Amino acid sequence: MPVVLTPGDAVASHLPVLLDEVLALLSPQPGEVVVDATIGQAGHAVRLLRAIGPEGLLIGLDVDPANLAVARENLSALSVSSDVPLRFRLFHANFAELGEVLELAGVSRVNALLADLGVASSQLNDPQRGLSFQWPGPLDMRLDPRLTVTAADLVNTLAEARLADLIFELGGERFSRKIARAVCRRRIDRRIETTSELSEIVCSALRADPASRKSRIHPATRTFQALRIAVNGELEDLDRLLELAPGVLAGGGRMAVISFHSLEDRRVKQSFSSGSGGGVYQILSKKPIQPSTEEVQANPRSRSAKLRAVARAG
Ligand SMILES: C[S@@+](CC[C@H](N)C(=O)[O-])C[C@H]1O[C@@H](n2cnc3c(N)ncnc32)[C@H](O)[C@@H]1O
């Protein structure tokens, strides 16, 4: 059940991806109701709230209370600096729960909906979350503290074949069997508890040196991605959001989704094109929009971003 957030601790900042492109496609107008389904630290939301003005309403969701706390500070600062207070409501909720959130907010239809998928830099760079092989930390990976199964639980309990399938299907790792075998051998001695242990197991299973210039990406990248997607149920939640969207958008309402890997983008593309075929949507981005070279230079995390958008038929 979604809960309304109260202020909390602040964490490091995050640069919004494809900001101008999102605003151009969503075209938020004064007085409109806008949902930012992954509000993060409100990088996009600050601009959305400014555009809809005091008559509008911004509804923000995030599974991570720490990011929501930063979003609240940023939106409050904007509201205080405006002549008239701006209206926003934040919910600690998964976007798969959007129907319940809108009910709580007393809103039946929205004019614009943004989903900027995946993780924020603040989360990736927080060693305690265990999302990255770059810092030693607990092998956790939960974005939402309401979740109960961690990445350590998965690597220590899944059967070898199931673990291999997961790493292959969600990470696109072609050496998934080797990695799963090495994990299962290691866990006989003791539970695998940290990011460093898992990273070391993957590197030695692949006989890969992360410092070598030959590896374009860190050898554990795909394994970590797969576990993160599984722990957070990312694909199931995205499917649910895409399923809910036509019923939530007002006629003429716009929806934009930024995805960061092909498993997500494929789902978004498929949902938008079948909605367009069925007369539910009009496609606003014929091809996915990607960041400019300048944006990638300024914000390397944006390099794999793809933005797609639709408008709800009237
Ligand atoms: C890429 S960041 C969004 C950044 C935001 N647009 C900004 O500019 O500050 C993604 C955010 O979505 C949140 N998130 C991930 N999956 C979610 C879900 N299923 N429902 C709600 N929030 C989710 C993450 O916790 C993270 O804060």
Side-chain angles (χ1 to χ4, degrees), residues 14-17 36-45 61-64 67 93-96 114 116-120 123 143 234 237 260 301:
H14 168 98
L15 283 177
V17 171
D36 188 335
T38 52
I39 198 162
Q41 303 196 344
H44 293 96
L61 284 68
D62 206 292
V63 287
D64 179 357
N67 267 356
N94 192 304
F95 53 56
L114 170 65
D116 175 15
L117 303 173
V119 292
Q123 296 166 320
L143 297 180
E234 292 179 21
D237 293 339
F260 289 88
R301 197 190 75 85

Side-chain angles (χ1 to χ4, degrees), residues 84-306:
V84 195
L86 301 172
R87 297 195 306 147
F88 64 90
R89 292 196 62 188
L90 300 182
F91 295 86
H92 175 206
N94 192 304
F95 53 56
E97 305 170 289
L98 182 58
E100 293 167 61
V101 167
L102 293 183
E103 220 175 292
L104 277 174
V107 164
S108 55
R109 292 279 186 280
V110 311
N111 305 107
L113 171 56
L114 170 65
D116 175 15
L117 303 173
V119 292
S121 318
S122 56
Q123 296 166 320
L124 261 184
N125 297 337
D126 177 357
Q128 286 312 308
R129 290 182 177 274
L131 288 163
S132 171
F133 40 79
Q134 284 176 346
W135 294 278
L139 195 54
D140 189 319
M141 299 201 185
R142 290 170 302 161
L143 297 180
D144 190 338
R146 297 176 300 174
L147 295 175
T148 51
V149 175
T150 66
D153 293 331
L154 293 183
V155 299
N156 286 293
T157 59
L158 287 182
E160 184 179 322
R162 176 78 194 87
L163 184 60
D165 288 348
L166 185 153
I167 296 171
F168 179 71
E169 285 161 18
L170 302 182
E173 172 60 71
R174 61 198 173 107
F175 300 116
S176 61
R177 306 226 161 269
K178 264 191 187 170
I179 294 171
R181 198 174 315 132
V183 164
C184 292
R185 261 196 216 130
R186 182 70 67 91
R187 76 190 189 191
I188 295 172
D189 300 334
R190 60 171 195 279
R191 241 180 95 89
I192 301 160
E193 295 284 8
T194 67
T195 53
S196 320
E197 280 171 272
L198 180 62
S199 172
E200 182 269 305
I201 294 167
V202 173
C203 292
S204 66
L206 303 184
R207 295 184 206 290
D209 175 4
S212 152
R213 291 222 182 134
K214 274 195 248 158
S215 4
R216 204 174 52 83
I217 59 168
H218 189 287
T221 305
R222 297 189 178 93
T223 302
F224 271 66
Q225 173 185 302
L227 288 167
R228 193 201 82 211
I229 294 174
V231 164
N232 294 291
E234 292 179 21
L235 299 179
E236 295 80 0
D237 293 339
L238 176 58
D239 286 342
R240 181 71 188 129
L241 177 68
L242 293 169
E243 200 178 290
L244 286 169
V248 158
L249 289 167
R254 291 81 58 201
M255 174 174 185
V257 183
I258 305 176
S259 60
F260 289 88
H261 55 78
S262 59
L263 293 173
E264 289 171 344
D265 184 55
R266 206 176 302 148
R267 282 171 156 76
V268 178
K269 181 180 173 186
Q270 163 63 29
S271 164
F272 285 1
S273 73
S274 78
S276 150
V280 174
Y281 289 140
Q282 180 203 342
I283 307 255
L284 300 178
S285 52
K286 294 272 175 278
K287 289 228 163 100
I289 296 165
Q290 292 179 268
S292 62
T293 320
E294 292 75 33
E295 179 167 359
V296 174
Q297 260 163 16
N299 181 13
R301 197 190 75 85
S302 71
R303 70 184 173 278
S304 45
K306 284 191 177 157

Side-chain angles (χ1 to χ4, degrees), residues 22-78:
V22 164
L23 286 163
L25 288 166
L26 287 183
S27 179
Q29 300 298 315
E32 286 193 332
V33 178
V34 173
V35 170
D36 188 335
T38 52
I39 198 162
Q41 303 196 344
H44 293 96
V46 160
R47 293 279 296 275
L48 292 169
L49 183 58
R50 193 181 292 152
I52 60 178
E55 303 299 324
L57 172 65
L58 175 93
I59 296 171
L61 284 68
D62 206 292
V63 287
D64 179 357
N67 267 356
L68 275 168
V70 180
R72 180 177 295 283
E73 279 176 21
N74 290 337
L75 295 170
S76 302
L78 173 68

